[in-house]
Amino acid sequence: MIIDVHGHYTTAPEPLGAWRDAQVAALADPGLAPDPAGPRISDDQIRETLQAHQLRQMDERGIDVTVFSPRASFMAHHVGDLATSTAWARICNDLCARVAGLYPERFAAGAMLPQSPGADPATSVPELERAVTELGAVTVNLNPDPSGGHWTAPPLTDRSWYPVYEKLVELDVPAMVHVSTSCNPAFHTTGAHYLNADTTVFMQLLQGDLFADFPDLRLVIPHGGGAVPYHWGRFRGLAQALGRPEPEEMLGTNVFFDTCVYHQPGADLLLDVIPHPGVLFASEMIGAVRGVDPRTGHHFDDTRRYVESHAATRGLDDAAVHALFETNARRVYPLLDRRLTERGLTRV
């Protein structure tokens, strides 16, 4: 089985975007507020968007299951206030849960949190719990920068985040540390802000003692860990200078990188440097990079090819490949593992 732990509903039906536009317009004119019950989206509309896009490409690439969360750039926690984000998160999470309900063999729901600049992270806990216990989400996206590129929030090691971590551990779900749209013109959203955040968060974790307080907390840093694998010697050297443990001690137990790296040399470097228990297969399809690489004739985000090529050239055995494609994800996402096991797909 091939499990993709990083998918977003980037092709959601048009009424979702229209509802959000009305919600944002209502910040200036309350008379424009949309129906608080959310947009009217039929099951057929959901099926149409998925069959033409994500499901088609999953079938073409041999991906069996995708962990599917709201579109990251649409989380936009910097827009409005906590009430704005709370309403928007609820609607987006409900929609992803519907996707998983319509295609239980192919999708597992992820969720966004109703974060807002300056809001106490604890205010996200009720929606976190609802998403997992009522909607069946197997993970949530945690935004380390709700301000949208201005980085006004404290580091993730700050105790203000602890109520979120306590609930994650209680529910036994990991969080993917994923920022949203950048409203800072210095940072392109997907080319700079996303990768900056991945790198920044890893350094925050290296500097702090978060996992001493939460030894069972699991955080997934997407996009191949940003700059971290490429500068692994820098991070090891900084850890040494700061009197911190070797950074790889976090990997495979508390911190995980995904394989959303879109060329073979980058994927090779990730898999050569980072211990494989700390790597989860993912593609972020359909996401930031959707085109075909003219040098290969394949989509940039067809990451299965990179992993398989790496396995062949490095002589990885079947167990190692199986771990990268399936068992690592099932270990890190126990609610997903339970769901698959209930369908008779036991973990080997």
Side-chain angles (χ1 to χ4, degrees), residues 25-331:
L27 297 174
D29 182 355
L32 299 175
D35 182 350
R40 295 183 179 181
I41 297 173
S42 69
D43 288 351
D44 284 343
Q45 285 177 295
I46 294 174
R47 292 189 184 99
E48 181 181 356
T49 60
L50 295 171
Q51 290 170 357
H53 298 102
Q54 280 87 355
L55 280 171
R56 175 180 60 80
Q57 293 195 31
M58 287 169 65
D59 289 341
E60 290 172 355
R61 301 177 190 187
I63 295 172
D64 296 295
V65 178
T66 295
V67 178
F68 207 56
S69 65
R71 185 173 183 173
S73 62
F74 271 29
M75 295 191 298
H77 294 116
H78 63 279
V79 174
D81 57 13
L82 180 61
T84 307
S85 288
T86 299
W88 179 229
R90 188 177 187 92
I91 285 167
C92 290
N93 292 342
D94 287 348
L95 185 61
C96 286
R98 287 179 63 189
V99 168
L102 289 170
Y103 296 96
E105 304 290 323
R106 308 304 302 275
F107 295 104
M112 64 179 278
L113 298 178
Q115 300 175 248
S116 186
D120 187 336
T123 58
S124 290
V125 170
E127 179 62 16
L128 192 169
E129 185 162 28
R130 185 188 80 93
V132 174
T133 62
E134 297 182 24
L135 302 182
V138 301
T139 185
V140 296
N141 294 333
L142 177 66
N143 187 350
D145 174 37
S147 70
H150 295 288
W151 288 94
T152 58
L156 290 186
T157 50
D158 188 84
R159 296 189 69 87
S160 62
W161 296 98
Y162 276 28
V164 176
Y165 303 147
E166 289 166 358
K167 185 57 65 174
L168 289 170
V169 171
E170 175 190 328
L171 297 172
D172 202 17
V173 293
M176 178 170 281
V177 182
H178 204 308
V179 289
S180 186
T181 299
S182 169
C183 57
N184 183 337
F187 300 130
H188 182 275
T189 293
T190 55
H193 186 43
Y194 282 17
L195 305 182
N196 293 347
D198 303 332
T199 309
T200 296
V201 164
F202 186 81
M203 190 64 203
Q204 291 176 359
L205 298 174
L206 186 151
Q207 290 177 274
D209 291 306
L210 178 61
F211 302 119
D213 290 337
F214 295 97
D216 296 324
L217 179 65
R218 300 181 301 280
L219 300 177
V220 180
I221 300 179
H223 318 114
V228 175
Y230 189 74
H231 289 287
W232 193 239
R234 175 180 290 261
F235 289 100
R236 291 187 63 236
L238 287 169
Q240 183 182 81
L242 293 169
R244 309 299 301 159
E246 281 276 356
E248 74 177 45
E249 291 185 16
M250 294 187 285
L251 298 173
T253 53
N254 301 112
V255 176
F256 306 85
F257 297 161
D258 73 16
T259 62
C260 293
V261 179
Y262 296 148
H263 68 147
Q264 190 66 53
D268 287 336
L269 185 142
L270 169 70
L271 293 166
D272 282 339
V273 171
I274 302 303
H276 290 181
V279 180
L280 307 174
F281 176 74
S283 70
E284 202 180 359
M285 179 273 295
I286 297 168
V289 180
R290 306 185 183 194
V292 172
D293 185 346
R295 298 182 184 179
T296 66
H298 300 291
H299 284 86
F300 284 101
D301 62 1
D302 188 357
T303 54
R304 177 180 175 179
R305 293 178 177 275
Y306 307 141
V307 175
E308 290 180 334
S309 176
H310 180 88
T313 58
R314 300 303 195 270
L316 300 185
D317 61 21
D318 289 345
V321 176
H322 188 195
L324 289 169
F325 279 133
E326 177 183 357
T327 54
N328 285 353
R330 294 180 72 151
R331 173 170 53 88

Side-chain angles (χ1 to χ4, degrees), residues 335-346:
L335 298 188
L336 173 62
D337 179 55
R338 184 185 309 166
R339 175 180 295 186
L340 295 174
T341 301
E342 289 172 350
R343 298 209 310 265
L345 301 170
T346 55

